[in-house]
Amino acid sequence: LGDVYKRQSTIKAYVNIIYGCDKFCTYCIVPYTRGKQRSRRHQDILKEVNELKDEGYQEVTLLGQNVNAYGKDLDDNYGMEDLLEDVAKTGIPRIRFVTSHPWDFTDRMIEVIAKYPNIMKSVHLPVQSGSSRILKLMGRRYTKEEYISLFDKLRKIPNMHISTDIIVGFPGETEEDFEETMDIVRKVRYDSAFTFIYSKRTGTPAAIMGDQIPEDVVKDRFNRLLHEVQTISAEQ
């Protein structure tokens, strides 16, 4: 990478494995600004990880807007499960990855995480909403029930830490939809959660949807959610 890129640490390193995104969630501008997903060849990624290990790095974080989609745009029948396992086999002491989309999270990937002790038992799994109706409007491609099923599989891994992202006030969100979000938070009990108030992104489908939620309603829901996730995180 030469003079173009300087690492900030000599212990932890970030390694891009995929750029862009093909999911087109209706609130997200990334596919329009960063383009279609483009995976790096796994040989180049593993070479970079091995070089970092030889230089004494103790931890790598595999990066992408949706790391679980890694390899789907290539023709070598090699996916995130394979990459994660091969990175683990390098022997570098600690491995993390962000961010995961629930749609692409496979059972084999869960098996690989559980198998290798140098893969940190920490997964960021954005839910965005607990309402299946709102998830469909968001273009998230899973239901509340499917998300909980995946979450439960991950929770079976000993000492697993699971964090999430949640958006409050998406266009059309009713009080009942919001209560569905509160329900999933209480049910799965996240170790930590990042909560956001929905904001328009010009050029996205959600920005021109009708039934935008009044600001005072959104702020009230956000405060209620924030109190709930902070309480549960502290207990966890």
Side-chain angles (χ1 to χ4, degrees):
L1 297 176
D3 295 332
V4 177
Y5 184 77
K6 301 289 186 183
R7 296 194 184 276
Q8 299 295 311
S9 168
T10 57
I11 299 172
K12 299 180 181 182
Y14 295 92
V15 177
N16 284 301
I17 66 170
I18 184 171
Y19 302 94
C21 185
D22 287 356
K23 284 295 181 284
F24 287 94
C25 297
T26 58
Y27 54 82
C28 184
I29 199 68
V30 167
Y32 305 98
T33 57
R34 299 184 187 174
K36 293 174 64 67
Q37 68 183 38
R38 305 172 310 284
S39 301
R40 294 177 63 196
R41 292 288 177 181
H42 67 268
Q43 296 92 336
D44 295 332
I45 297 169
L46 293 172
K47 180 175 181 290
E48 184 175 346
V49 172
N50 275 305
E51 288 173 350
L52 289 166
K53 180 193 170 191
D54 291 343
E55 291 170 17
Y57 280 84
Q58 299 299 298
E59 178 173 309
V60 293
T61 299
L62 307 179
L63 290 180
Q65 185 70 22
N66 173 19
V67 291
N68 295 14
Y70 173 80
K72 290 190 173 184
D73 55 313
L74 301 178
D75 56 2
D76 54 5
N77 195 32
Y78 186 100
M80 182 59 180
E81 306 94 333
D82 306 294
L83 179 65
L84 199 54
E85 184 161 38
D86 284 346
V87 171
K89 287 178 179 178
T90 67
I92 198 158
R94 294 191 299 274
I95 303 158
R96 302 182 189 276
F97 56 93
V98 289
T99 294
S100 292
H101 192 299
W103 173 258
D104 295 308
F105 219 122
T106 65
D107 287 346
R108 184 169 164 238
M109 190 171 165
I110 295 172
E111 291 169 4
V112 170
I113 294 168
K115 179 179 178 180
Y116 292 91
N118 56 342
I119 299 177
M120 298 296 93
K121 305 307 181 263
S122 177
V123 172
H124 188 63
L125 193 69
V127 65
Q128 306 301 9
S129 174
S131 163
S132 293
R133 187 182 76 85
I134 295 297
L135 288 170
K136 186 174 183 180
L137 290 174
M138 289 178 166
R140 290 294 289 172
R141 310 188 191 197
Y142 54 83
T143 63
K144 175 183 181 180
E145 291 73 24
E146 288 168 340
Y147 181 92
I148 291 174
S149 176
L150 171 60
F151 186 99
D152 288 344
K153 290 177 184 178
L154 285 165
R155 265 294 192 227
K156 289 178 182 177
I157 299 176
N159 302 313
M160 174 58 77
H161 176 286
I162 303 177
S163 58
T164 198
D165 292 336
I166 304 171
I167 296 173
V168 177
F170 187 81
E173 181 188 71
T174 64
E175 182 64 21
E176 290 74 22
D177 292 320
F178 175 70
E179 283 300 330
E180 289 267 18
T181 296
M182 293 289 277
D183 177 68
I184 201 171
V185 166
R186 294 178 184 124
K187 191 167 291 181
V188 304
R189 296 181 63 79
Y190 293 107
D191 296 292
S192 60
F194 299 92
T195 55
F196 304 91
I197 289 176
Y198 167 75
S199 60
K200 288 184 181 181
R201 293 290 183 267
T202 302
T204 62
I208 57 174
M209 286 181 179
D211 202 9
Q212 300 283 329
I213 311 302
E215 185 177 348
D216 59 333
V217 174
V218 176
K219 286 184 176 179
D220 175 68
R221 290 176 185 170
F222 177 79
N223 289 333
R224 287 154 57 195
L225 176 64
L226 185 62
H227 178 270
E228 193 71 29
V229 299
Q230 287 179 339
T231 299
I232 292 172
S233 293
E235 290 171 354
Q236 291 291 83

